């Protein structure tokens, strides 16, 4: 396995392979915090109003934050603690704890899925594991830190409920059925160690998530930025909130009505950052295509129809190059 950033970053200045070409560097490190990214109170009782708020946010930003979402705050705090403890383990322990499943439903990687071929690397380690069905997956999850399974099991169960609730609001808002589609549920625990020079590198390059939705637990450390109206804006950490974003498959299914928003993560020289993405994705065989009810003579299909597994191959090949991806998926060629 490639060497995890966290296993060597304390000893060195920024290696050349992490220095981005000038046009991809973060530029200004302090961008405005996006206080216009909607914060939606899920505790509200007017469902029609909630659906409207969620749909508008997904159309305009592809991002919103949710509060009063029902996931207990102590569970969120405990999960964040064990995520940090996991990434603080030795590289050897991390390798052992992520090799319990021969089918690799739990693994650790660094930078991106293209580490071997990418021109430059990103300052990030990621722990990934499947979350459903829980009773089948949990046996392959880390056993160190000792409370990992005990805390992350209930955490993923709660976040899964929340994710399905939000996906249901979105499908009602679009007037389509996404029922049964959120088949794959994975957790990606990102760790962005202290970085010697945040101006030259990124924790995660500009990308759109290849999933229906992501329910992100960001710590109290800022780092996430969204590309909106040709500008990068920061997503403010709000205590006990989740950041929700819609991904590419929803952009395709909604025939461009919803946005898979481009985002990235900047690094930090004072404090390490840990975040956890809970991804709800289609099953491999699901056809990803514009919903029939959203296509007519005046709204032609903007995207080709592809099984999700083929979508993913194109996605990984074009990672961080959204123009190339749009060309690969669009009907306009
Ligand atoms: C991701 C992602 C953002 C963050 O996991 O796809 O964009 O703040 N994470 O770590
Ligand atoms: Ni992302």
């Amino acid at each position: 396995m490639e060497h995890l950033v966290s296993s060597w970053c304390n000893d060195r200045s920024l290696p050349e392979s992490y220095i981005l070409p000038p046009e991809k560097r973060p530029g200004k490190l302090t961008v405005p915090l996006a206080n216009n990214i909607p914060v939606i109170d899920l505790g509200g009782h007017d469902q029609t109003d909630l659906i409207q708020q969620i749909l508008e946010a997904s159309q305009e930003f592809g991002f919103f934050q949710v509060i009063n979402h029902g996931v207990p705050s102590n569970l969120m705090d405990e999960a964040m603690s064990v995520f940090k403890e996991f990434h603080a383990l030795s590289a050897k322990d991390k390798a052992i704890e992520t090799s319990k499943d021969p089918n690799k439903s739990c693994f650790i990687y660094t930078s991106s899925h293209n580490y071997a071929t990418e021109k430059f690397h990103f300052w990030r380690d990621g722990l990934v594991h499947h979350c459903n069905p829980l009773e089948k997956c949990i046996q392959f999850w880390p056993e160190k830190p000792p409370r990992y399974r005990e805390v992350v099991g209930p955490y993923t169960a709660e976040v899964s409920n929340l994710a399905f609730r939000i996906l249901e609001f979105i499908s009602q808002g679009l007037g389509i059925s996404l029922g049964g589609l959120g088949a794959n549920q994975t957790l990606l625990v990102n760790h962005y160690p202290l970085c010697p020079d945040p101006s030259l590198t990124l924790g995660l390059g500009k990308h759109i998530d290849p999933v229906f939705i992501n329910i992100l637990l960001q710590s109290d450390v800022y780092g996430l930025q969204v590309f909106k109206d040709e500008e990068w804006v920061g997503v403010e950490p709000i205590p006990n909130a989740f950041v929700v974003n819609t991904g590419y498959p929803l952009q395709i299914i909604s025939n461009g009505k919803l946005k898979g928003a481009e985002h990235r993560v900047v690094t930090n020289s004072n404090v390490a950052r840990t975040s956890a993405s809970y991804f709800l994705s289609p099953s491999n065989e699901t056809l990803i295509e514009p919903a029939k009810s959203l296509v007519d003579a005046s709204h032609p299909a903007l995207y080709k129809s592809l099984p999700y597994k083929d979508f993913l191959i194109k996605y990984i090949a074009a990672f961080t190059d959204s123009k190339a991806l749009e060309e690969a998926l669009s009907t306009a060629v």
Side-chain angles (χ1 to χ4, degrees), residues 30 33 72 96 98 100 116 123 126 142 159 170 177 189 257 323 326:
T30 43
L33 283 183
I96 294 169
T98 53
K100 296 177 196 289
W123 195 259
V159 179
I170 291 175
S177 168
V189 183
K257 242 178 135 175
K323 264 213 190 93
E326 187 77 18

Side-chain angles (χ1 to χ4, degrees), residues 51 54-55 58 64 165-176 178 212-213 244 246 250 258:
I51 292 174
I54 290 178
L55 209 71
S58 308
F64 50 95
R165 214 173 128 210
I166 293 174
L167 192 64
E168 181 56 32
F169 285 144
I170 291 175
S171 58
Q172 285 186 28
L174 288 171
I176 62 175
L178 294 166
F212 283 140
I213 53 173
V244 181
T246 45
L250 273 186
L258 302 190

Side-chain angles (χ1 to χ4, degrees), residues 124 188 190 192 204 207 209 214 216 218 223-224 245 263-265 273-277 279:
R124 178 282 291 253
L188 162 59
N190 295 300
Y192 310 94
L204 211 44
H207 68 284
D209 291 341
N214 178 14
L216 177 83
Q218 67 165 344
L224 176 61
N245 69 276
H263 54 285
R264 69 180 185 183
V265 177
R273 180 169 182 271
T274 302
S275 71
S277 289
F279 293 127

